[in-house]
Amino acid sequence: MTVTIERNSDIAVIAIDNPPVNALSHAVRQDLWNAAETLDTDPSVRAVVLICEGRTFIAGADVNEFGKPPMPPHLPDLVARIETATKPWIAAIHGSALGGGLEVALGCRFRVAVPSASVGLPEVLLGIVPGAGGSVRLPRLIGPALATEMVTTGTSVAAPKARSQGLIDAVVEGDLEKGAIDFARAAADQSLPLPLRQRSVPVVDPSFWETTSKAVASRAKREDAPLRALACVRKAAEADFDTAMAFERQTFLELRGSPQAAALRHVFFAERSAPRPPELAGIEPRPIRSAAVIGGGTMGAGIAAALRDAGLPVTLVERDEVAVERGLSNLRSIFESSVKRGRITFETAAERLSGIIGTTDYGLLARTDIVIEAVFEDLDVKREVFGKLSTACHCDAVLATNTSYLDPEQIAAGIKHPERFVGLHFFSPAHVMKLLEIVPTAQTTPATLATGFALARMLKKIPVRAGICNGFIGNRILKVTRAQAERLLLSGATPQAVDTAMRAFGLPMGPFEAQDLGGLDIAAFQRRAARARGETPFAPIADRLCTLERFGQKSGGGWYDYAKGERTPQPSEIVASIIAEEARETSQQEWDEARIIDCIALPMVNEAAKILHEKVALRAGDIDLVEIHGYGFPRWRGGLMHYAEERGLAGVVAALETLAAEDLAEPPSDLLRRSAEGGRFVSRD
Ligand code: 3H9
């Protein structure tokens, strides 16, 4: 039974029980409609409490139904039915009232919530706008400015703040159902407020819409939904209720079928699958009550900050006292900058710092549950660390390496209890970037792997399981990005043209600007190591820039020149002449934006297909998450693989063949060719 009705004397309590998140499936809508009909004609009922079982109030329309033809009762009609019921309905909210869930609550005459609840209209995050009156009723309740903020950003508001804004009518401490029934009984004795459809939208200065439009456009970048959502709120302010409802519904239906909405829905589901690889079903992670980080450099300090942000006590181990001090000072800078940005208070920063012990003594790690090594990217250095950890830590402690390129199998070789070892690849800055690649070795047990995923959840990261290969998923694709970018330079494109094209594609930065920001020396170091292993990495121009110590912004020049103290890239004559020299043997072409994008993005797709084929990534969606959360690939394109599928895999294969014929890319891989037959990526078997 999805919806039940019970009576508490003169108050009816409707309870929805539709796990996991009480989404408004067709059955729930129908049952709620029937309940409204029943209770309207029941003279013994004076008010109706709408409450949910399980972990949350209604979390929205059922996203699984978005691809299907809508079936009546449609949500806008249901909300109107509740709003015009003969008895007042009171929404009793715990967990989250999101999207259609908040729209149902706005149809109710009152809303009460437990202090931990939150409410929001996250539709724009799915590439759509509210479709059941959210953008029309919310400004009538809290005014256009606050409503615009919520509708165009999709951010949720916690119950206490929602109470202060007038979005909810009471915060219930203690038992929600009892509190809601008491509230309902008291409300039924008094004159009722007008339903929202009969209220007007408070007037705002006409300049509000122009100013807000600019702000929303700049935040939304290339996403369509936020500006369309703003238009809905504006219509609510300027037209009558029914006209605004029709406008919102039309916008919702248009956007629901748009490529951006399909892409964002794909990311939504990918983000929910990634934390649960099938092999871990039913596997219990080990408890994580304390953590340690070995190495207090940029990466180590960032990881330690992320662990502290999640509330874990942290021990930071360095090789000598000077390095300990430097590590602690790196952490201080991270927390100070969070205070400056208004993310945390001064007191919180002090509390986070006080939860870190800096030491050189591995003996302090005897009871630590998880240790993450983030020392210099050198096999011998790392092995020495794990040798010490192997004896210092208890045998159930999870030992993790944050290597980006080295082979975790080799790092773990010889440690005691290798089943507790796993790779945890963070992205810099580690306290900010959402991606965490989790890399098991052949000996990693499911419980250890599950602990990696549990840690990701604690740190609010997006975990992606990755297999072992050079660079795992993300950096292996990055190598192709960079190599292709250099191939373009050798064939007649300029760094500016390449960066401009990739920005136009939707990346926050082009490949050359990004290297200048991060520093060219790190990749040069990796290339040296690769050459020592007998590999032949392709970076003819970057190699020459590094010989000249042009490492990027930090050395005053890299792919671009930088005026002292400036970060604006200026075309460099030195770089242009190096490119000309290196390009002497290569035929020159005219490059427009579309061809530049193809020459970079499609070989990335090809590499990703190999990664999928080798099972380094388990699912195409996982690769999408790596690109989005680790490398700024535009979310609204759905990630690299979704982009390729939407563009058409057959077309991708054809374009790669052309590039390969010109010696500008490798030919399409077998898996890509086979996937092109069905239009969707297939894995190996
Ligand atoms: C909307 O409402 C449009 C309306 O304006 C107009 C309509 C006409 N539908 O995230 P979790 C599943 S748009 C179906 O891991 P948590 C999810 O796939 C909607 N399924 O849990 C997963 O399934 P599984 C606006 C949904 O506790 C399971 O629930 N609403 C939906 O960390 C657990 O998810 C939103 O955008 C859904 N709407 O977080 C809300 N939502 O176990 C999006 C979740 O099989 N949802 N599932 O993999 C969320 O933000 C989080 O899921 C929530 C719980 C905070 C609710």
Side-chain angles (χ1 to χ4, degrees):
M1 186 67 92
T2 48
V3 173
T4 51
I5 308 176
E6 285 189 2
R7 305 289 200 282
N8 185 306
S9 149
D10 51 352
I11 307 296
V13 178
I14 301 179
I16 303 176
D17 186 9
N18 184 29
V21 294
N22 292 312
L24 288 158
S25 62
H26 174 249
V28 171
R29 297 198 303 275
Q30 186 64 60
D31 283 0
L32 284 176
W33 185 279
N34 296 346
E37 297 280 304
T38 308
L39 297 174
D40 259 10
T41 54
D42 184 339
S44 69
V45 171
R46 294 174 63 223
V48 178
V49 167
L50 176 63
I51 198 164
C52 288
E53 304 288 349
R55 66 203 219 222
T56 181
F57 191 75
I58 305 164
D62 190 337
V63 179
N64 295 301
E65 288 182 3
F66 275 14
K68 304 174 188 159
M71 295 226 296
H74 303 298
L75 194 55
D77 300 334
L78 175 65
V79 175
R81 180 70 191 79
I82 293 171
E83 190 173 42
T84 52
T86 55
K87 328 281 164 74
W89 283 45
I90 292 93
I93 301 169
H94 76 291
S96 316
L98 296 176
L102 180 55
E103 290 175 307
V104 165
L106 292 171
C108 296
R109 204 61 69 94
F110 300 99
R111 289 146 295 280
V112 301
V114 295
S116 59
S118 59
V119 295
L121 291 170
E123 283 86 345
V124 289
L125 306 177
L126 291 167
I128 53 175
V129 296
S135 71
V136 183
R137 288 190 179 85
L138 195 59
R140 288 173 155 74
L141 186 62
I142 60 173
L146 291 175
T148 296
E149 176 69 17
M150 284 180 71
V151 176
T152 61
T153 62
T155 44
S156 297
V157 177
K161 188 170 173 196
R163 171 75 192 96
S164 71
Q165 295 174 342
L167 208 170
I168 59 174
D169 301 284
V171 173
V172 175
E173 306 281 350
D175 185 69
L176 177 61
E177 183 172 333
K178 180 177 178 313
I181 290 171
D182 291 347
F183 183 97
R185 205 160 271 139
D189 285 340
Q190 291 170 13
S191 62
L192 295 174
L194 286 175
L196 289 173
R197 63 170 51 229
Q198 289 175 21
R199 299 192 210 170
S200 54
V201 178
V203 177
V204 282
D205 190 284
S207 66
F208 169 81
W209 301 109
E210 306 315 323
T211 322
T212 311
S213 174
K214 283 189 195 125
V216 172
S218 103
R219 231 180 5 225
K221 306 217 164 63
R222 304 266 296 280
E223 288 190 27
D224 296 332
L227 273 177
R228 303 288 298 270
L230 177 66
C232 291
V233 182
R234 183 169 188 174
K235 186 62 93 180
E238 294 177 347
D240 62 79
F241 181 84
D242 290 332
T243 307
M245 284 296 290
F247 182 82
E248 182 203 70
R249 185 74 182 165
Q250 181 60 30
T251 310
F252 168 79
L253 291 175
E254 273 170 35
L255 289 181
R256 197 178 63 163
S258 69
Q260 288 198 0
L264 291 166
R265 250 189 338 263
H266 161 76
V267 178
F268 174 86
F269 285 115
E271 284 175 348
R272 269 140 196 94
S273 315
R276 278 168 287 177
E279 72 205 273
L280 291 186
I283 304 291
E284 277 298 310
R286 295 186 187 158
I288 309 174
R289 293 152 301 203
S290 57
V293 178
I294 316 296
T298 308
M299 222 38 212
I303 295 170
L307 294 164
R308 280 303 295 139
D309 289 347
L312 287 167
V314 174
T315 307
L316 181 71
V317 184
E318 262 292 3
R319 59 184 183 282
D320 56 41
E321 290 303 333
V322 176
V324 169
E325 271 320 305
R326 202 169 34 234
L328 292 176
S329 146
N330 287 342
L331 270 153
R332 211 168 293 120
S333 308
I334 290 176
F335 291 127
E336 277 168 8
S337 133
S338 295
V339 173
K340 271 200 207 111
R341 285 161 197 260
R343 290 208 193 110
I344 53 173
T345 62
F346 182 76
E347 289 72 26
T348 307
E351 187 271 328
R352 299 230 168 128
L353 263 178
S354 71
I356 301 163
I357 296 172
T359 183
T360 56
D361 181 5
Y362 280 73
L364 294 190
L365 307 183
R367 298 170 63 82
T368 306
D369 289 329
I370 185 161
V371 183
I372 303 169
E373 164 278 310
V375 302
F376 191 59
E377 195 73 348
D378 177 280
L379 186 59
D380 293 335
V381 178
K382 286 188 189 285
R383 286 177 72 156
E384 193 188 324
V385 166
F386 281 99
K388 289 184 193 160
L389 291 175
S390 190
T391 47
C393 299
H394 65 82
C395 59
D396 282 338
V398 168
L399 305 184
T401 176
N402 174 56
T403 183
S404 335
Y405 284 96
L406 297 174
D407 180 351
E409 297 279 3
Q410 290 185 24
I411 297 173
I415 69 166
K416 290 184 194 158
H417 298 288
E419 71 282 355
R420 60 184 163 156
F421 182 91
V422 69
L424 291 180
H425 181 210
F426 289 80
F427 288 71
S428 186
H431 58 295
V432 177
M433 296 293 282
K434 286 266 169 240
L435 179 63
L436 181 64
E437 284 181 326
I438 303 188
V439 192
T441 65
Q443 303 202 57
T444 303
T445 53
T448 303
L449 189 59
T451 312
F453 279 86
L455 181 74
R457 192 167 176 92
M458 287 176 86
L459 304 188
K460 300 199 175 73
K461 304 253 179 240
I462 305 282
V464 170
R465 185 197 193 288
I468 295 177
C469 65
N470 195 265
F472 311 127
I473 300 174
N475 282 343
R476 178 165 157 187
I477 297 174
L478 178 66
K479 276 198 288 182
V480 173
T481 316
R482 291 185 171 166
Q484 287 304 116
E486 288 209 31
R487 278 200 178 94
L488 276 162
L489 299 188
L490 296 180
S491 334
T494 61
Q496 305 85 285
V498 173
D499 283 343
T500 307
M502 293 318 283
R503 275 179 189 264
F505 180 68
L507 288 170
M509 257 184 235
F512 298 116
E513 303 164 289
Q515 287 179 64
D516 272 1
L517 183 67
L520 277 70
D521 45 340
I522 304 163
F525 172 79
Q526 278 148 8
R527 286 197 298 276
R528 265 200 306 280
R531 286 185 184 120
R533 291 193 300 269
E535 296 166 23
T536 51
F538 176 79
I541 307 166
D543 279 340
R544 289 200 48 192
L545 297 184
C546 289
T547 315
L548 297 176
E549 299 193 346
R550 289 185 67 98
F551 294 134
Q553 289 188 17
K554 61 182 166 190
S555 66
W559 290 101
Y560 297 96
D561 290 340
Y562 296 89
K564 209 170 170 52
E566 295 277 326
R567 287 166 168 264
T568 316
Q570 309 288 348
S572 162
E573 282 178 19
I574 300 174
V575 174
S577 65
I578 293 174
I579 294 171
E581 279 170 38
E582 291 294 325
R584 269 198 302 259
E585 315 269 289
T586 317
S587 70
Q588 301 294 290
Q589 305 187 15
E590 290 289 321
W591 289 95
D592 62 16
E593 273 188 1
R595 288 187 67 236
I596 290 175
I597 292 165
D598 273 4
C599 188
I600 293 185
L602 303 189
M604 287 167 68
V605 172
N606 200 21
E607 190 67 22
K610 290 180 201 163
I611 285 172
L612 198 57
H613 178 70
E614 293 164 23
K615 293 209 179 327
V616 167
L618 295 184
R619 296 170 279 223
D622 285 355
I623 300 176
D624 288 331
L625 296 183
V626 167
E627 287 299 314
I628 291 169
H629 292 292
Y631 301 86
F633 198 94
R635 190 178 172 90
W636 54 268
R637 286 201 189 272
L640 183 65
M641 306 301 256
H642 183 84
Y643 162 73
E645 287 182 344
E646 288 310 294
R647 182 190 157 124
L649 294 184
V652 170
V653 166
L656 275 169
E657 274 166 349
T658 309
L659 285 168
E662 295 176 273
D663 218 13
L664 282 165
E666 287 187 16
S669 71
D670 287 348
L671 184 98
L672 187 53
R673 281 183 203 283
R674 255 193 305 123
S675 300
E677 288 163 21
R680 290 274 172 264
F681 281 102
V682 288
S683 55
R684 179 162 48 182
D685 307 314

